[in-house]
Amino acid sequence: EAGVVQSPRYKIIEKKQPVAFWCNPISGHNTLYWYLQNLGQGPELLIRYENEEAVDDSQLPKDRFSAERLKGVDSTLKIQPAELGDSAVYLCASSLDGIRAFFGQGTRLTVV
Amino acid sequence: GQQVMQIPQYQHVQEGEDFTTYCNSSTTLSNIQWYKQRPGGHPVFLIQLVKSGEVKKQKRLTFQFGEAKKNSSLHITATQTTDVGTYFCAGPHAGGTSYGKLTFGQGTILTVHP
Protein backbone atom coordinates (compact mmCIF):
# COMPACT_ATOMS: atom_id res chain seq x y z
CA GLU A 1 0.00 0.00 0.00
CA ALA A 2 1.41 3.38 -0.99
CA GLY A 3 1.82 5.89 1.77
CA VAL A 4 1.01 9.58 1.78
CA VAL A 5 2.81 11.24 -1.10
CA GLN A 6 3.88 14.86 -1.02
CA SER A 7 5.62 17.03 -3.54
CA PRO A 8 7.89 18.77 -3.85
CA ARG A 9 10.24 17.51 -1.14
CA TYR A 10 12.14 20.77 -1.05
CA LYS A 11 11.31 24.27 -2.18
CA ILE A 12 13.34 27.47 -2.01
CA ILE A 13 11.62 30.69 -2.91
CA GLU A 14 12.13 34.40 -2.44
CA LYS A 15 9.88 36.22 -0.03
CA LYS A 16 6.67 37.62 -1.47
CA GLN A 17 6.54 34.83 -4.05
CA PRO A 18 3.73 32.28 -4.12
CA VAL A 19 4.27 28.58 -3.42
CA ALA A 20 2.09 25.50 -3.55
CA PHE A 21 2.39 22.05 -2.01
CA TRP A 22 0.60 18.94 -3.16
CA CYS A 23 -0.54 15.91 -1.21
CA ASN A 24 -1.95 12.55 -2.27
CA PRO A 25 -3.34 10.71 0.77
CA ILE A 26 -3.58 6.98 1.29
CA SER A 27 -6.41 5.56 -0.79
CA GLY A 28 -9.64 5.39 1.16
CA HIS A 29 -8.57 7.83 3.85
CA ASN A 30 -11.29 10.44 4.09
CA THR A 31 -9.51 12.60 6.66
CA LEU A 32 -6.63 14.73 5.47
CA TYR A 33 -4.48 17.08 7.51
CA TRP A 34 -1.95 19.74 6.77
CA TYR A 35 0.55 20.32 9.56
CA LEU A 36 3.37 22.79 9.91
CA GLN A 37 6.51 21.74 11.75
CA ASN A 38 9.15 24.19 12.83
CA LEU A 39 12.61 22.98 13.73
CA GLY A 40 12.65 21.35 17.15
CA GLN A 41 8.90 21.51 17.54
CA GLY A 42 5.99 19.15 17.19
CA PRO A 43 3.66 19.36 14.21
CA GLU A 44 0.94 22.02 14.44
CA LEU A 45 -2.34 21.57 12.65
CA LEU A 46 -3.16 24.05 9.91
CA ILE A 47 -6.28 22.50 8.45
CA ARG A 48 -8.24 19.26 8.56
CA TYR A 49 -10.52 17.91 5.85
CA GLU A 50 -13.25 15.34 6.03
CA ASN A 51 -13.64 14.38 2.38
CA GLU A 52 -13.77 17.71 0.56
CA GLU A 53 -14.98 19.74 3.53
CA ALA A 54 -12.59 21.76 5.67
CA VAL A 55 -13.87 20.98 9.18
CA ASP A 56 -11.10 22.67 11.16
CA ASP A 57 -9.14 25.57 9.70
CA SER A 58 -8.93 27.70 12.81
CA GLN A 59 -5.11 27.61 12.75
CA LEU A 60 -4.76 28.52 9.08
CA PRO A 61 -3.54 32.11 8.51
CA LYS A 62 -6.20 32.91 5.97
CA ASP A 63 -4.70 36.18 4.83
CA ARG A 64 -1.96 34.33 2.98
CA PHE A 65 -2.66 30.61 3.23
CA SER A 66 -5.29 28.70 1.32
CA ALA A 67 -6.04 25.05 0.83
CA GLU A 68 -8.34 22.94 -1.23
CA ARG A 69 -9.26 19.31 -1.55
CA LEU A 70 -11.21 18.94 -4.71
CA LYS A 71 -13.10 15.65 -5.11
CA GLY A 72 -12.07 14.70 -1.59
CA VAL A 73 -8.79 13.07 -2.57
CA ASP A 74 -5.68 15.12 -3.40
CA SER A 75 -5.08 18.40 -1.67
CA THR A 76 -3.02 21.50 -2.28
CA LEU A 77 -1.80 24.07 0.21
CA LYS A 78 -0.84 27.48 -1.08
CA ILE A 79 0.97 30.43 0.42
CA GLN A 80 0.75 33.79 -1.27
CA PRO A 81 2.79 35.81 -0.63
CA ALA A 82 5.38 33.85 1.33
CA GLU A 83 7.19 35.46 4.24
CA LEU A 84 10.52 34.61 5.82
CA GLY A 85 8.74 33.19 8.85
CA ASP A 86 6.96 30.62 6.70
CA SER A 87 10.16 28.60 6.38
CA ALA A 88 9.31 25.22 7.88
CA VAL A 89 8.38 21.68 6.97
CA TYR A 90 4.82 21.28 5.74
CA LEU A 91 3.48 17.83 6.51
CA CYS A 92 0.42 16.22 5.02
CA ALA A 93 -1.22 13.34 6.83
CA SER A 94 -4.25 11.20 6.22
CA SER A 95 -6.38 9.01 8.44
CA LEU A 96 -8.93 6.27 8.01
CA ASP A 97 -10.48 6.59 11.47
CA GLY A 98 -9.92 10.29 12.08
CA ILE A 99 -7.55 9.47 14.92
CA ARG A 100 -4.40 7.64 13.81
CA ALA A 101 -2.49 9.78 11.31
CA PHE A 102 -0.15 8.59 8.57
CA PHE A 103 2.31 11.28 7.57
CA GLY A 104 3.96 12.02 4.26
CA GLN A 105 7.62 12.87 3.93
CA GLY A 106 6.87 16.58 4.05
CA THR A 107 7.90 19.58 2.00
CA ARG A 108 10.76 21.61 3.41
CA LEU A 109 10.16 25.25 2.50
CA THR A 110 12.91 27.83 2.69
CA VAL A 111 11.97 31.44 2.11
CA VAL A 112 14.93 33.72 1.40
CA GLY B 1 -6.92 25.57 24.35
CA GLN B 2 -5.53 22.16 24.96
CA GLN B 3 -1.82 21.94 25.74
CA VAL B 4 0.38 18.87 25.63
CA MET B 5 3.74 19.14 27.36
CA GLN B 6 6.64 16.72 27.14
CA ILE B 7 9.74 16.34 29.27
CA PRO B 8 12.61 16.18 28.95
CA GLN B 9 13.26 18.14 25.76
CA TYR B 10 16.56 16.32 25.21
CA GLN B 11 18.00 13.06 26.48
CA HIS B 12 21.46 11.73 25.79
CA VAL B 13 22.13 8.16 26.83
CA GLN B 14 24.80 5.54 26.39
CA GLU B 15 23.78 2.55 24.38
CA GLY B 16 22.26 0.01 26.75
CA GLU B 17 20.87 2.57 29.17
CA ASP B 18 17.15 3.06 29.68
CA PHE B 19 15.18 6.10 28.53
CA THR B 20 11.86 7.59 29.59
CA THR B 21 9.86 10.51 28.23
CA TYR B 22 6.79 11.95 29.93
CA CYS B 23 3.75 13.60 28.46
CA ASN B 24 1.18 15.74 30.27
CA SER B 25 -2.05 17.20 28.94
CA SER B 26 -3.97 20.16 30.30
CA THR B 27 -7.21 18.34 29.55
CA THR B 28 -8.46 14.78 29.81
CA LEU B 29 -7.74 12.84 26.65
CA SER B 30 -9.96 10.30 24.94
CA ASN B 31 -6.77 8.56 23.89
CA ILE B 32 -3.10 9.29 23.47
CA GLN B 33 -0.80 8.43 20.64
CA TRP B 34 2.96 8.19 20.36
CA TYR B 35 4.97 8.94 17.24
CA LYS B 36 8.65 8.61 16.41
CA GLN B 37 10.43 10.90 13.99
CA ARG B 38 13.88 9.96 12.80
CA PRO B 39 16.29 12.79 11.94
CA GLY B 40 15.20 14.18 8.58
CA GLY B 41 12.14 11.95 8.52
CA HIS B 42 8.46 12.28 9.20
CA PRO B 43 6.44 11.25 12.27
CA VAL B 44 5.59 7.56 12.29
CA PHE B 45 2.80 6.19 14.43
CA LEU B 46 3.94 3.88 17.23
CA ILE B 47 0.90 3.17 19.35
CA GLN B 48 -2.42 4.39 20.69
CA LEU B 49 -3.57 4.05 24.29
CA VAL B 50 -7.24 4.36 25.09
CA LYS B 51 -8.04 3.00 28.52
CA SER B 52 -7.29 4.59 31.87
CA GLY B 53 -4.17 3.00 33.36
CA GLU B 54 -3.44 1.08 30.16
CA VAL B 55 0.04 -0.37 29.64
CA LYS B 56 1.24 -1.65 26.29
CA LYS B 57 4.57 -3.11 25.28
CA GLN B 58 6.33 -3.28 21.95
CA LYS B 59 9.56 -5.24 22.40
CA ARG B 60 11.78 -2.87 24.42
CA LEU B 61 9.20 -0.04 24.45
CA THR B 62 6.62 0.27 27.25
CA PHE B 63 3.80 2.79 26.99
CA GLN B 64 1.58 3.85 29.88
CA PHE B 65 -1.59 5.94 30.05
CA GLY B 66 -2.33 7.58 33.37
CA GLU B 67 -5.35 6.76 35.49
CA ALA B 68 -6.75 10.24 34.98
CA LYS B 69 -6.03 10.05 31.22
CA LYS B 70 -4.06 13.27 31.38
CA ASN B 71 -0.54 11.88 31.30
CA SER B 72 1.45 9.21 29.59
CA SER B 73 4.96 7.86 29.41
CA LEU B 74 7.19 5.97 27.03
CA HIS B 75 10.01 3.87 28.43
CA ILE B 76 12.71 2.25 26.34
CA THR B 77 14.76 -0.50 27.96
CA ALA B 78 18.37 -0.98 26.92
CA THR B 79 18.49 1.65 24.21
CA GLN B 80 20.08 0.94 20.85
CA THR B 81 21.42 3.34 18.24
CA THR B 82 18.35 2.62 16.14
CA ASP B 83 16.23 4.28 18.84
CA VAL B 84 17.65 7.69 17.94
CA GLY B 85 15.00 10.23 17.02
CA THR B 86 12.33 12.50 18.43
CA TYR B 87 9.45 10.96 20.29
CA PHE B 88 6.16 12.83 20.27
CA CYS B 89 2.99 12.24 22.19
CA ALA B 90 -0.23 13.53 20.69
CA GLY B 91 -3.67 13.87 22.09
CA PRO B 92 -6.86 14.36 20.11
CA HIS B 93 -9.57 16.77 21.02
CA ALA B 94 -12.87 15.07 21.70
CA GLY B 95 -16.17 16.51 20.64
CA GLY B 96 -17.07 19.74 18.89
CA THR B 97 -15.57 20.85 15.63
CA SER B 98 -12.06 19.99 16.77
CA TYR B 99 -12.75 16.28 17.07
CA GLY B 100 -9.91 14.35 15.54
CA LYS B 101 -7.48 17.26 15.79
CA LEU B 102 -4.17 16.04 17.14
CA THR B 103 -2.25 18.29 19.49
CA PHE B 104 1.39 17.27 19.58
CA GLY B 105 3.82 17.76 22.39
CA GLN B 106 7.11 19.43 21.55
CA GLY B 107 8.86 16.10 21.56
CA THR B 108 11.82 14.54 23.31
CA ILE B 109 14.99 14.27 21.26
CA LEU B 110 16.85 11.07 22.06
CA THR B 111 20.47 10.58 21.15
CA VAL B 112 22.24 7.30 21.85
CA HIS B 113 26.01 7.13 22.11
CA PRO B 114 27.49 3.77 21.04
Side-chain angles (χ1 to χ4, degrees):
Chain A
E1 177 183 273
V4 176
V5 179
Q6 289 187 247
S7 69
R9 288 292 311 278
Y10 305 93
K11 189 73 176 179
I12 302 174
I13 61 170
E14 293 184 343
K15 62 182 180 182
K16 300 184 182 180
Q17 294 302 306
V19 64
F21 315 125
W22 175 81
C23 173
N24 179 235
I26 294 173
S27 178
H29 283 198
N30 294 329
T31 306
L32 183 145
Y33 312 83
W34 282 102
Y35 282 89
L36 176 153
Q37 187 174 27
N38 287 303
L39 189 64
Q41 300 293 319
E44 299 172 32
L45 182 71
L46 290 172
I47 190 167
R48 176 170 70 93
Y49 282 93
E50 292 293 339
N51 298 302
E52 66 273 11
E53 182 182 359
V55 296
D56 186 350
D57 63 355
S58 57
Q59 305 279 65
L60 191 72
K62 299 181 182 63
D63 57 336
R64 298 184 300 108
F65 286 65
S66 64
E68 60 181 12
R69 191 184 184 196
L70 300 176
K71 301 181 181 178
V73 181
D74 294 1
S75 178
T76 55
L77 177 68
K78 299 178 181 178
I79 309 174
Q80 181 171 13
E83 297 179 352
L84 295 176
D86 296 331
S87 296
V89 175
Y90 291 82
L91 293 162
C92 178
S94 69
S95 178
L96 180 62
D97 57 11
I99 297 176
R100 174 179 172 176
F102 294 81
F103 284 85
Q105 298 276 22
T107 297
R108 182 177 296 278
L109 173 67
T110 303
V111 182
V112 297
Chain B
Q2 181 191 54
Q3 290 187 322
V4 177
M5 305 297 293
Q6 272 186 264
I7 56 169
Q9 187 174 0
Y10 303 95
Q11 186 75 58
H12 311 283
V13 300
Q14 288 292 133
E15 189 172 22
E17 292 181 339
D18 292 356
F19 158 76
T20 304
T21 174
Y22 300 91
C23 178
N24 291 284
S25 170
S26 58
T27 60
T28 301
L29 301 169
S30 58
N31 67 83
I32 194 157
Q33 301 167 43
W34 286 90
Y35 291 78
K36 177 183 178 181
Q37 186 171 22
R38 293 182 184 275
H42 59 282
V44 175
F45 176 87
L46 293 177
I47 206 162
Q48 175 181 296
L49 304 172
V50 179
K51 299 176 182 177
S52 170
E54 188 171 13
V55 178
K56 285 188 177 180
K57 292 189 175 183
Q58 289 180 349
K59 297 182 180 179
R60 295 178 294 103
L61 277 61
T62 301
F63 304 84
Q64 289 189 309
F65 200 11
E67 294 289 341
K69 301 183 76 172
K70 295 181 71 173
N71 58 75
S72 181
S73 65
L74 158 59
H75 180 82
I76 303 178
T77 304
T79 55
Q80 300 176 359
T81 55
T82 53
D83 295 325
V84 165
T86 303
Y87 292 84
F88 294 100
C89 63
H93 287 276
T97 59
S98 294
Y99 184 76
K101 170 182 177 178
L102 281 177
T103 300
F104 282 78
Q106 68 268 46
T108 295
I109 300 172
L110 172 65
T111 55
V112 180
H113 300 285

